[in-house]
């Protein structure tokens, strides 16, 4: 059977680093409060010339280099983002053009922080359905542009960045030993729409709007939703937490990551954490974390890796892959 196999990963971060202490004086907060409640110590913030498209392009080029490929080898780009350069056209098409690609096709996916998990699942279906052979899956965000910088309960949590992965069609026997995407589980429930949203939009206010969140409500639902969808993925693949080599969760809050891993019985040393360095970069957080763990030699060929995310909507999901 056809499997969607990881061929390369890459990342890109804005030049400017903003430390927790840099918020002191802007809003009533402290390095200690932010670090203790979230695990975040710093985040990258995009300059005017750094956009979702430019960061996405840089991450895509890094992933292509890592894969030993060029844009000519790609036939589909799926970009997960909630902060596109324009309402339309899709920022994926902008990235396609920046890469000098005038063949194939490209589109955006919007599932907020779950965007990359949804995008990997979508790319896998295009590959297994025979519509694409090599797909660039990108998560790129500039959440700094939709933050209310006077709201201390949200502005300290998010950062900008991009991560990318090249998936390519490969052969598999159909079992758990195959390389590539092995199982996935996706969920959404719009009943939670008002707990995490942006208060603007093309069809309503005609403005971009700002991020609004009932943090405590999101926190309350997060661990249960995350663990449910991961258990569904484990059971679809016929594995347990012990079989995993790496758990690469959405990087929103260290307390959510720790509580989820504890509930699932995933050992602490198997959890990849980058929230301290990047903050919550929404759809970019999982591919950024993957890219860090590949670059530092933790994730190696043959490893069993679980990615997971939960975000606005709510949307949530998990994908199991063998590297
Ligand atoms: N600095 C200092 N105090 C603050 C800050 C801040 N930056 N922000 C809020 N506070 C205050 C609050 O006003 C509140 O004060 P009060 O008790 O006088 O009213 C107090 O701190 C406690 O606030 P809580 O919201 O109860 O704090 P909590 O421990 O829940 O932590 C947090 C807040 C970090 C937001 C937490 O709820 C959380 O992480 N929630 C999940 C958020 C998340 O993961 N969101 C992303 C989802 S992914 C996506 O799709 C974007």
């Amino acid at each position: 059977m056809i499997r969607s196999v990881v061929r390369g990963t890459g990342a890109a971060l804005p030049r400017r680093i903003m430390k927790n202490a840099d918020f002191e004086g802007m809003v009533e907060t402290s390095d200690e409060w932010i670090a203790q409640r979230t695990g975040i110590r710093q985040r990258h913030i995009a300059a005017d010339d750094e956009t979702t498209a430019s960061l996405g392009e840089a991450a895509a080029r890094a992933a292509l280099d890592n894969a030993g490929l060029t844009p000519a080898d790609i036939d589909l780009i799926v970009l997960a983002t909630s902060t596109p350069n324009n309402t339309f056209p899709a920022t994926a098409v902008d990235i396609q053009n920046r890469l000098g690609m005038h063949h194939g096709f490209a589109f955006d996916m919007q599932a907020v922080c779950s965007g990359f998990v949804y995008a990997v699942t979508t790319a896998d279906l295009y590959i297994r359905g025979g519509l694409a052979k090599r797909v660039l899956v990108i998560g790129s965000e500039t959440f700094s542009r939709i933050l209310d910088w006077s709201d201390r309960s949200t502005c300290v949590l998010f950062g900008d960045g991009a991560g990318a992965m090249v998936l390519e069609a490969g052969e598999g026997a159909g079992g758990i030993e195959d390389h590539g995407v092995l199982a996935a589980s996706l969920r959404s429930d719009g009943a939670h729409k008002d707990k995490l949203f942006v208060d603007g939009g093309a069809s309503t206010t005609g403005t971009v709007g700002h991020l609004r969140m009932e943090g405590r409500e999101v926190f309350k639902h997060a661990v249960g939703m995350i663990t449910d969808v991961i258990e569904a993925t484990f059971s679809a693949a016929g594995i347990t937490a012990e079989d995993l080599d790496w758990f690469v969760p959405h990087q929103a809050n260290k307390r959510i990551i720790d509580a989820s891993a504890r509930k699932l019985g995933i050992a602490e040393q198997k959890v990849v954490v980058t929230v301290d360095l990047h903050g919550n970069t929404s759809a970019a957080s999982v591919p950024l974390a993957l890219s860090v763990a590949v670059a530092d030699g933790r994730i190696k060929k043959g490893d069993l890796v679980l990615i997971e995310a939960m975000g606005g909507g709510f949307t949530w999901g998990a994908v199991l892959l063998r590297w």
Side-chain angles (χ1 to χ4, degrees):
M1 67 177 288
I2 299 173
R3 290 288 197 190
S4 307
V5 181
V6 180
R7 172 92 185 239
T9 54
L13 289 160
R15 297 180 294 271
R16 180 181 161 217
I17 293 175
M18 187 172 181
K19 304 257 185 205
N20 289 350
D22 298 335
F23 285 94
E24 293 170 11
M26 276 174 64
V27 287
E28 214 183 312
T29 190
S30 64
D31 174 32
E32 193 197 354
W33 191 96
I34 301 168
Q36 227 173 47
R37 302 280 177 131
T38 70
I40 298 167
R41 300 203 168 270
Q42 63 173 50
R43 73 288 292 139
H44 290 247
I45 300 293
D48 289 349
D49 65 336
E50 293 171 315
T51 65
T52 295
S54 75
L55 294 167
E57 177 199 356
R61 288 191 185 279
L64 286 168
D65 277 353
N66 183 245
L69 297 171
T70 72
D73 300 311
I74 299 297
D75 35 36
L76 166 61
I77 298 173
V78 186
L79 170 69
T81 190
S82 300
T83 46
N85 274 37
N86 297 89
T87 302
F88 78 78
T91 303
V93 176
D94 190 340
I95 294 174
Q96 180 190 22
N97 187 48
R98 285 162 181 263
L99 292 173
M101 258 178 80
H102 302 287
H103 63 279
F105 62 115
F107 59 86
D108 289 0
M109 292 204 75
Q110 217 277 43
V112 203
C113 298
S114 309
F116 189 76
V117 169
Y118 273 54
V120 167
T121 310
T122 304
D124 176 46
L125 290 172
Y126 273 92
I127 289 172
R128 286 195 288 128
L131 264 77
K133 282 211 154 42
R134 289 202 193 93
V135 185
L136 252 175
V137 190
I138 308 169
S140 184
E141 302 278 19
T142 44
F143 261 50
S144 62
R145 306 260 156 81
I146 54 165
L147 294 176
D148 174 350
W149 286 92
S150 65
D151 175 11
R152 68 175 180 175
S153 70
T154 53
C155 73
V156 302
L157 303 175
F158 296 89
D160 302 331
M165 173 192 271
V166 179
L167 282 177
E168 120 182 309
E171 275 297 310
I176 197 71
E177 297 308 321
D178 288 354
H179 293 275
V181 175
L182 300 173
S185 186
L186 300 182
R187 291 291 320 276
S188 68
D189 184 353
H192 301 285
K193 162 179 173 291
D194 295 337
K195 297 187 179 84
L196 176 50
F197 67 105
V198 170
D199 62 4
S203 183
T204 49
T205 59
T207 61
V208 173
H210 292 110
L211 182 147
R212 306 292 172 205
M213 178 169 73
E214 292 174 35
R216 210 175 297 184
E217 279 296 307
V218 177
F219 199 103
K220 212 170 75 188
H221 287 87
V223 177
M225 287 178 161
I226 289 164
T227 51
D228 277 358
V229 87
I230 290 174
E231 273 161 3
T233 310
F234 283 170
S235 110
I239 66 154
T240 68
E242 290 199 352
D243 299 311
L244 279 187
D245 293 298
W246 297 106
F247 176 43
V248 186
H250 173 46
Q251 308 286 319
N253 183 316
K254 180 75 163 55
R255 283 153 63 208
I256 297 177
I257 294 173
D258 289 347
S260 310
R262 210 175 309 119
K263 193 165 170 202
L264 289 157
I266 300 172
E268 204 184 330
Q269 62 271 22
K270 293 182 177 180
V271 185
V272 176
V273 177
T274 52
V275 70
D276 52 334
L277 300 173
H278 303 153
N280 181 350
T281 57
S282 191
S285 95
V286 169
L288 266 169
L290 281 172
S291 182
V292 166
V294 169
D296 68 19
R298 272 180 288 176
I299 297 181
K300 297 177 294 298
K301 199 169 172 61
D303 283 353
L304 196 56
V305 179
L306 182 83
I307 62 173
E308 157 278 307
M310 184 258 182
F314 293 147
T315 56
W316 64 110
V319 177
L320 181 75
L321 330 100
R322 188 173 297 282
W323 220 253

